[in-house]
Amino acid sequence: MKDIIVLGIESSCDETSCAIVKNGREVLSNVINSQIKIHEKFGGVVPEIASRNHVEVISSVVKQALEEANVTFNDIDAVSCTYGPGLVGALLVGVSYAKALSYALNKPLIGINHIEGHIAANYITHPKLEPPCLCLVISGGHTHLVHIKNYKEFEILGRTKDDAIGEAFDKVARVIGLGYPGGPKIDKLAKEGSNNIKIPKTHFENLDFSFSGIKTAIINMHHKNPDVNKADLCASFEATVTEILIENTLKAAKKLNINKIALAGGVSANSYIREQFINLEKTKGMKIYYPTPILCTDNAAMIASAGYYNYINGKVSDLELNAIPNLKIGE
Ligand code: KG4
Ligand code: ZN
């Protein structure tokens, strides 16, 4: 069978990325231009600045991706891009660029849901992983427990009712003075602390999540008594949110009789969360998957991989494709 090469573009938040992926799972290049340094001083992503920066770098990021993969535009079979969810101005840069490429090259255009992209990152890291499985998508903007029925059908089993988990990590880190982005900083400091602070958890009958109460409890503790050990706060915060993630994921696994669980999204790079999920292999007979760290946070290889599966399943877009900031998975 002829190889299928997809060029992917990701620009939904503060990373401008372009990747070339062969047959959905082999990454030929994955260039990521992160704006973290630019937004750091504001303590979070400033949408207008993000859009302007995407415009400035996108052409050179695409050029570099082609060069590193040692391919030309003529070798590309399809162009995929994230069209939502995300920041509208940021998304529009990638969508417009992908549309122009698709039109100029006369190659199919494939709009990808960013969450579907995060899920596909697992197909790259685990070449033998096939749906059906469960995927826990935990990132700065999303917390979704998803039933992956096949390559194009997804059902959301549970989602956050308030903050996304990464947002809670980032806010806690900011308030206790660790800086932005908070996730990796909490990850590191928690290793020096112990989980000795009791934090109340919010439970739901269904598989939804809530993190804002936990975040507020930690922030209040810090404000009331700034001497509370920060490492212990981090370790206790991580332990509490992980218990909730595991509780809901196991409930879903039991309900659907599935033992394959994939993690995805920026927060799945967290070493404590990974460790606790891996324990489920021994204690509960689960099979746990997660992407390599660079494929956990935003990147275009995952968008090209998802693009490949849409392409071979005949799910292509037309030039009417537009950015949809609040796009839901499965639409
Ligand atoms: O997937 P991503 O790049 O962007 C979204 O789609 O939202 O995720 C970014 C989020 C940020 O909240 C960041 O703090 C978090 O992922 N993150 C982590 C770690 N690395 C990144 N959170 C916890 N532990 C980490 N090691
Ligand atoms: Zn993301």
Side-chain angles (χ1 to χ4, degrees):
M1 216 170 77
K2 183 193 167 297
D3 287 332
I4 293 175
I5 295 189
V6 177
L7 181 149
I9 293 177
E10 158 63 35
S11 72
S12 66
C13 190
D14 60 342
E15 266 92 26
T16 321
S17 180
C18 177
I20 313 291
V21 173
K22 190 160 109 183
N23 300 329
R25 303 210 182 204
E26 190 184 333
V27 179
L28 303 183
S29 67
N30 186 23
V31 177
I32 304 167
N33 182 85
S34 172
Q35 305 175 9
I36 282 181
K37 284 269 159 285
I38 299 170
H39 299 284
E40 212 169 22
K41 55 179 169 293
F42 303 106
V45 178
V46 183
E48 181 57 31
I49 296 177
S51 319
R52 269 188 258 159
N53 208 264
H54 286 306
V55 173
E56 275 170 31
V57 303
I58 192 157
S59 297
S60 59
V61 167
V62 172
K63 187 163 172 269
Q64 193 183 337
L66 290 166
E67 280 168 9
E68 285 184 16
N70 204 15
V71 298
T72 68
F73 280 133
N74 289 333
D75 301 313
I76 305 297
D77 294 292
V79 178
S80 67
C81 66
T82 305
Y83 73 109
L87 302 169
V88 68
L91 287 165
L92 273 169
V93 179
V95 170
S96 310
Y97 200 95
K99 280 162 75 168
L101 264 188
S102 156
Y103 180 72
L105 302 174
N106 196 20
K107 297 285 160 75
L109 173 71
I110 306 152
I112 295 296
N113 181 308
H114 184 74
I115 314 264
E116 249 183 83
H118 274 301
I119 292 166
N122 278 290
Y123 300 141
I124 299 173
T125 305
H126 307 283
K128 295 213 162 70
L129 175 64
E130 302 270 357
C133 62
L134 287 177
C135 187
L136 184 64
V137 186
I138 41 180
S139 74
H142 323 279
T143 312
H144 286 349
L145 184 54
V146 189
H147 178 197
I148 324 285
K149 296 181 177 176
N150 53 47
Y151 286 108
K152 36 175 206 177
E153 279 181 283
F154 308 88
E155 186 194 353
I156 299 203
L157 305 167
R159 54 158 64 87
T160 179
K161 292 271 203 195
D162 39 57
D163 289 4
I165 185 166
E167 204 181 336
F169 267 94
D170 293 339
K171 283 184 189 159
V172 165
R174 190 168 63 205
V175 173
I176 67 172
L178 302 182
Y180 173 86
K185 298 194 163 124
I186 289 186
D187 192 349
K188 197 161 163 231
L189 189 58
K191 292 189 204 305
E192 294 166 27
S194 58
N195 164 24
N196 55 11
I197 302 171
K198 185 106 191 79
I199 304 158
K201 290 185 283 181
T202 312
H203 291 275
F204 297 105
E205 282 295 307
N206 59 17
L207 296 169
D208 286 338
F209 304 92
S210 165
F211 300 106
S212 96
I214 300 168
K215 170 199 74 184
T216 310
I218 295 277
I219 292 174
N220 287 347
M221 255 174 246
H222 173 73
H223 281 152
K224 278 192 198 131
N225 183 1
D227 295 331
V228 178
N229 185 288
K230 286 185 188 173
D232 290 349
L233 278 179
C234 291
S236 305
F237 170 75
E238 265 187 5
T240 312
V241 295
T242 307
E243 270 173 39
I244 295 176
L245 294 176
I246 288 186
E247 213 173 279
N248 279 9
T249 308
L250 286 180
K251 259 201 246 170
K254 192 167 171 206
K255 192 170 144 198
L256 298 169
N257 198 20
I258 290 179
N259 76 339
K260 281 195 279 185
I261 299 169
L263 306 177
V267 181
S268 68
N270 184 274
S271 49
Y272 179 82
I273 295 178
R274 285 178 173 217
E275 206 178 277
Q276 296 304 307
F277 270 89
I278 291 168
N279 282 345
L280 301 179
E281 296 203 336
K282 276 200 214 107
T283 57
K284 303 280 177 191
M286 298 290 157
K287 189 87 195 74
I288 306 296
Y289 303 85
Y290 46 79
T292 50
I294 195 66
L295 296 174
C296 285
T297 42
D298 291 350
N299 68 88
M302 66 187 197
I303 303 304
S305 173
Y308 168 83
Y309 286 103
N310 277 265
Y311 178 63
I312 61 169
N313 284 300
K315 235 176 128 184
V316 296
S317 315
D318 58 30
L319 291 174
E320 300 292 305
L321 185 74
N322 203 354
I324 306 184
N326 57 355
L327 182 68
K328 304 281 181 294
I329 192 163
E331 281 179 10

